[in-house]
Amino acid sequence: DVKVTQSSRYLVKRTGEKVFLECVQDMDHENMFWYRQDPGLGLRLIYFSYDVKMKEKGDIPEGYSVSREKKERFSLILESASTNQTSMYLCASSYDRGFSQPQHFGDGTRLSIL
Amino acid sequence: RKEVEQDPGPFNVPEGATVAFNCTYSNSASQSFFWYRQDCRKEPKLLMSVYSSGNEDGRFTAQLNRASQYISLLIRDSKLSDSATYLCVVNWGYKLSFGAGTTVTVRA
């Protein structure tokens, strides 16, 4: 079974802090993704990566950056946290370079920015 | 127009009933289609992929209609454990687009 592990289930931070969310997958997947999920809006793609050191913007990259130094690890960084970044963050990975395979999700991180 | 649209429900059905719902997508170049299940405050989990000819997995049947750009999910003999939000997911290129979900509640 694919295992995608996110570093924290719940996180509380203050406005202006730099926040790091970590994600690790154990299936040697090529692709990794970061989403946020908000009520009524569904999942929205923040960034994705199809290879080490490669990153691409998703639909809502503003205020975020990412890092993929190793194939199994994909980090999401909130450069200066703001209250509108309070959300559920989900990391996912998939195998196929053609992106036709389903994605497998981590447990999610519920982030609150005060 | 949203890329993927779903009826949010909720669909409230008794145990043993059949429930079905659709999802429409806007991009005719979409390549892959999936249904995910999401329980309250949990991560989405893949329920099934949707193939052009339609496919079944136990009590679940998925259909794809490319001409009308929708996919459907039918659940037969509903169980209490089927209560969840069902997410329609459509892919083209790198992009997976998620519907906001259809909530199904199965009551005893």
Side-chain angles (χ1 to χ4, degrees):
Chain A
D1 266 2
V2 178
K3 183 69 175 172
V4 179
T5 303
Q6 294 185 228
S7 52
S8 306
R9 290 297 302 275
Y10 300 93
L11 207 52
V12 180
K13 296 291 182 180
R14 296 205 173 276
T15 304
E17 279 193 71
K18 192 168 187 176
V19 181
F20 294 85
L21 302 183
E22 306 285 346
C23 174
V24 176
Q25 50 95 2
D26 67 356
M27 285 300 292
D28 201 36
H29 281 178
E30 307 291 340
N31 311 316
M32 296 188 75
F33 306 82
W34 275 106
Y35 295 89
R36 63 178 283 176
Q37 186 175 28
D38 301 287
L41 296 178
L43 274 82
R44 294 180 291 168
L45 181 64
I46 304 171
Y47 268 96
F48 72 100
S49 167
Y50 55 88
D51 204 349
V52 175
K53 297 193 184 295
M54 305 305 292
K55 60 184 180 184
E56 294 287 343
K57 293 180 180 178
D59 298 320
I60 51 164
E62 297 77 21
Y64 303 95
S65 63
V66 289
S67 172
R68 194 165 180 203
E69 295 297 318
K70 293 184 178 182
K71 191 174 186 179
E72 66 272 17
R73 186 180 295 271
F74 193 35
S75 303
L76 179 70
I77 304 145
L78 285 66
E79 298 291 344
S80 177
S82 63
T83 54
N84 63 11
Q85 292 178 310
T86 292
S87 187
M88 164 80 125
Y89 289 87
L90 288 154
C91 174
S93 72
S94 71
Y95 168 70
D96 180 20
R97 275 288 172 86
F99 297 96
S100 63
Q101 296 300 309
Q103 295 176 13
H104 300 272
F105 287 85
D107 291 346
T109 296
R110 289 194 173 273
L111 176 63
S112 295
I113 307 296
L114 305 179
Chain B
R1 183 184 172 188
K2 288 184 181 178
E3 293 170 342
V4 180
E5 297 204 58
Q6 294 184 248
D7 181 345
F11 288 75
N12 215 314
V13 300
E15 260 187 305
T18 295
V19 59
F21 40 90
N22 293 340
C23 154
T24 59
Y25 59 94
S26 61
N27 190 333
S28 60
S30 299
Q31 299 162 309
S32 306
F33 307 87
F34 309 98
W35 282 105
Y36 279 71
R37 171 199 169 119
Q38 187 170 26
D39 295 299
C40 188
R41 303 179 74 82
K42 296 284 187 73
E43 77 277 19
K45 292 186 177 176
L46 179 67
L47 179 67
M48 58 196 301
S49 301
V50 185
Y51 302 119
S52 296
S53 54
N55 48 299
E56 272 189 27
D57 184 358
R59 298 180 293 106
F60 297 84
T61 300
Q63 296 280 352
L64 167 63
N65 185 318
R66 283 192 184 271
S68 301
Q69 295 183 202
Y70 73 87
I71 65 174
S72 64
L73 182 67
L74 182 145
I75 308 172
R76 281 187 302 279
D77 188 21
S78 300
K79 312 291 184 192
L80 294 176
S81 57
D82 294 333
S83 297
T85 297
Y86 292 86
L87 305 177
C88 168
V89 183
V90 175
N91 154 268
W92 63 92
Y94 71 86
K95 191 172 170 62
L96 271 190
S97 289
F98 290 77
T102 296
T103 298
V104 173
T105 302
V106 182
R107 62 183 188 275

